[in-house]
Every structure is written in C-alpha cells, then in structure tokens.
Amino acid sequence: MKLPELKIGNKIAKVPIQQGGMAIRLSTARLAAAVANEGGIGLIAASGMSHDELRYEIRLARSLTSGIIGINIMVAAADFAEVVRTAIDEGIDLVVAGAGFSRDMFALGKESGTPIVPIVSSVKLAKISERLGAAAIVLEGKEAGGHLGTDTSVRDLIADVSAAVNIPVIAAGGVLHGQDIVDLIKAGAAGVQMGSRFAACEESNAAPALKEYYLKSKPEDIVVIHSPVGLPGRAVRTPFSAKVMEGPVPPTKCDACLKACKHNFCIIRALTRAQQGDVETGLVFTGEYMPKIDKIMTVHEIFEQLKAEAEAAN
C-alpha cells in the first residue's frame, strides 16, 4: 500500500505518521524537525519546559524544517493553558493534548485557527472532541507508552471510533512497522502516531544511557505504575519504578507543576533524571512493544523502512 497523506486543518502531511510527543525532553526540536523533513508531523514535548525553553525549541525546529511542527502537552500540567498560548504565539501548526481532557483548549485554538488534537481512548470522548471543535483526534490504545486511558487495544477501538466521527483519527499504541500502519488505515485510521520507535532513534534527545536501556528491555521488564497525575503509566522497570510500585516515594520539593497531584512521587523530576541517563533513579516511560526495537536508527532510515514495509504489506 502506498501510504496516503494526512490532513489536519489546513496542514497536509505527505506521510501519515505523527511522532509522539515524549516528555520530558525526549522529543525536542531536532527530532521533531527530522520527522517533519520526512513528510511526517513532528511534535515537541512541551511538558516540563519553561515558556522560554519552549519558544527556543519551536524557533529552532522552524530553522531546521519547513514541515509540520506541533507540540504535545499534558492537560494535567498546572500551566497547560499558558503553554498552549505560548505555542500558538510562536505560530505552532497544531497542539496535541493528553493526560487528561480540557474543554477550554478548543477556544484557544479557535481564536487563532490552530488545530487542537486531543488524545482520547473512547467513542464518547471522540464525539465530545469533535463537537467542541477538535481538528482531529489521536486514538490511543493500551499498547501506548506513558499515561494510559484504556486497557483496550487500539486495534479493537479504531473501527468504532472512526465510524463515530467525521474528523481524522490518528491511531496510537503499538505501531512499529509498515504492516501496523496499513492494518490501522484499512480499519479506519487516517494516520498513526508512533512514540517508542522514535524514543530510541538517533535524533531523540534521550541520553545514550537511556537509549541503551530501551534496547536492552525485555517484555517482562515492561510495567504499569500509578502516576501522580492520577492515571496509570507504562514504563520500563528500573530500581525507581520498582520502588514506586511498592509504595509512595514522596518528593522532598514540590514545584506545584500539576493541577492535581497525588504526591506519590515527582513525575517531572523522575522523567528528567531518566532523560539525562540516570536509569537507576529515573522513570523510563515506554510503549508496550519497546522490547521489539533492537537498534538505533536515524529518522530517515525509519521512514524509508516504514514506507518500504507498507508498500510490501498485504
């Protein structure tokens, strides 16, 4: 199958692949721009960034590509609305919002004409999103990394959700190969979002030690923890995540970065430690199928492989 284009608002991606926004600071300008240069949609992970840092990353991405650049931001973040406004001020092409749901964000997008793309996991939220003005939705299944909204596979959700709405549905969770993309498009998806495959790529901003940790992970290493955000989260087992699964590891310092925090540990600091290569005391978010990835490739190599696999797919 020759992969179709993906249209969100007035933006058209030549390849229907959106790179997942992986926080903290795995998806920065270099990765997002590399994906955009291949014809996909590159996302900068805004969660945990200051507004100045986000402005810098968006401007840097713009200097590296003329392709489509968006941000991903946690709805659970205390400064969610301000982050969205900052990105819109910088002329971002779209805003993808997960880890919660906000009715208010659609008004922000409407004012500026910026496509708002919520991450949902049900027909109900898909319909609500469309009614409120979403330009598209990311439908995330249980295979996804990070915060989870369902225990159902995206493959079991896609047909019902895509039939229920008239906006593009981008399927996410467990997408690694061209055959996965073809299967999901045939089932009703307009495109796919891929995180894990890009977390361990050359342009990912993960420290080398974190990328190696991803490559060494085995299926039995993939666990689900309870995030302070109030949602389950999928991660690779580390000494820190093992500790968190046994009970709270209360933070010694709190920056009040979440609207509502369970305070069982500090998620921003734990994810930051992992991004910097500290896999002992860091939280390593991942998708269910990360153990299937066995080498670090460039974004260009990944796209070439995916397109070739899709062409050869049934």
Side-chain angles (χ1 to χ4, degrees):
M1 177 197 249
K2 185 177 187 314
L3 293 175
E5 294 179 338
L6 170 60
K7 188 170 190 282
I8 300 178
N10 62 358
K11 300 293 177 190
I12 298 174
K14 295 290 180 201
V15 184
I17 295 172
Q18 178 167 283
Q19 154 254 317
M22 298 167 287
I24 306 291
R25 298 185 185 86
L26 261 63
S27 314
T28 51
R30 184 173 172 232
L31 173 57
V35 169
N37 280 333
E38 293 297 326
I41 297 172
L43 297 184
I44 294 167
S47 300
M49 284 186 182
S50 70
H51 293 249
D52 285 346
E53 183 182 358
L54 179 58
R55 286 184 191 279
Y56 170 81
E57 289 294 336
I58 293 171
R59 290 173 189 182
L60 178 56
R62 289 282 186 229
S63 75
L64 298 170
T65 185
S66 57
I68 304 173
I69 296 290
I71 64 157
N72 172 289
I73 175 70
M74 290 196 303
V75 174
D79 62 345
F80 170 76
E82 290 74 27
V83 168
V84 172
R85 282 194 194 94
T86 296
I88 288 172
D89 284 348
E90 287 296 321
I92 204 72
D93 293 322
L94 72 157
V95 173
V96 178
F101 190 83
S102 164
R103 291 168 180 266
D104 305 335
M105 63 185 168
F106 299 100
L108 296 172
K110 216 166 276 181
E111 288 165 20
S112 59
T114 307
I116 302 293
V117 182
I119 298 176
V120 303
S121 298
S122 68
V123 167
K124 183 183 176 186
L125 266 185
K127 284 179 160 178
I128 290 171
S129 299
E130 181 178 36
R131 197 169 69 242
L132 291 173
I137 54 169
V138 173
L139 175 67
E140 202 171 74
K142 74 171 183 69
E143 304 90 341
H147 292 110
L148 303 170
T150 183
D151 53 10
T152 304
S153 169
V154 68
R155 290 167 183 263
D156 295 330
L157 293 167
I158 185 64
D160 287 348
V161 172
S162 56
V165 294
N166 294 308
I167 52 176
V169 179
I170 301 162
V175 185
L176 288 183
H177 300 291
Q179 183 73 57
D180 301 326
I181 302 172
V182 170
D183 290 347
L184 287 162
I185 286 174
K186 283 183 176 175
V192 298
Q193 178 171 284
M194 302 175 66
S196 295
R197 179 60 274 189
F198 294 113
C201 78
E202 186 65 43
E203 292 89 346
S204 158
N205 195 43
L210 176 53
K211 292 182 190 180
E212 286 304 319
Y213 202 77
Y214 278 138
L215 295 189
K216 285 192 299 198
S217 67
K218 297 179 172 59
E220 59 268 26
D221 297 330
I222 309 302
V223 298
V224 174
I225 56 106
H226 292 289
S227 165
V229 166
L231 292 166
R234 175 165 284 111
V236 184
R237 187 187 296 277
T238 63
F240 180 78
S241 63
K243 205 182 291 183
V244 164
M245 287 165 75
E246 286 169 12
V249 183
T252 51
K253 185 170 179 257
C254 180
D255 297 325
C257 64
L258 299 176
K259 289 171 186 164
C261 182
K262 303 284 185 192
H263 296 286
N264 50 328
F265 67 93
C266 177
I267 189 163
I268 299 287
R269 286 194 170 84
L271 288 169
T272 299
R273 290 194 295 270
Q275 180 266 330
Q276 292 170 351
D278 178 356
V279 294
E280 293 293 314
T281 70
L283 176 64
V284 179
F285 266 171
T286 184
E288 188 174 338
Y289 299 143
M290 180 60 86
K292 294 184 179 182
I293 295 170
D294 57 6
K295 64 177 175 177
I296 293 169
M297 299 165 68
T298 65
V299 166
H300 177 68
E301 289 167 345
I302 291 167
F303 268 79
E304 289 302 300
Q305 180 176 303
L306 291 170
K307 288 189 285 189
E309 288 171 349
E311 295 263 348
N314 302 320

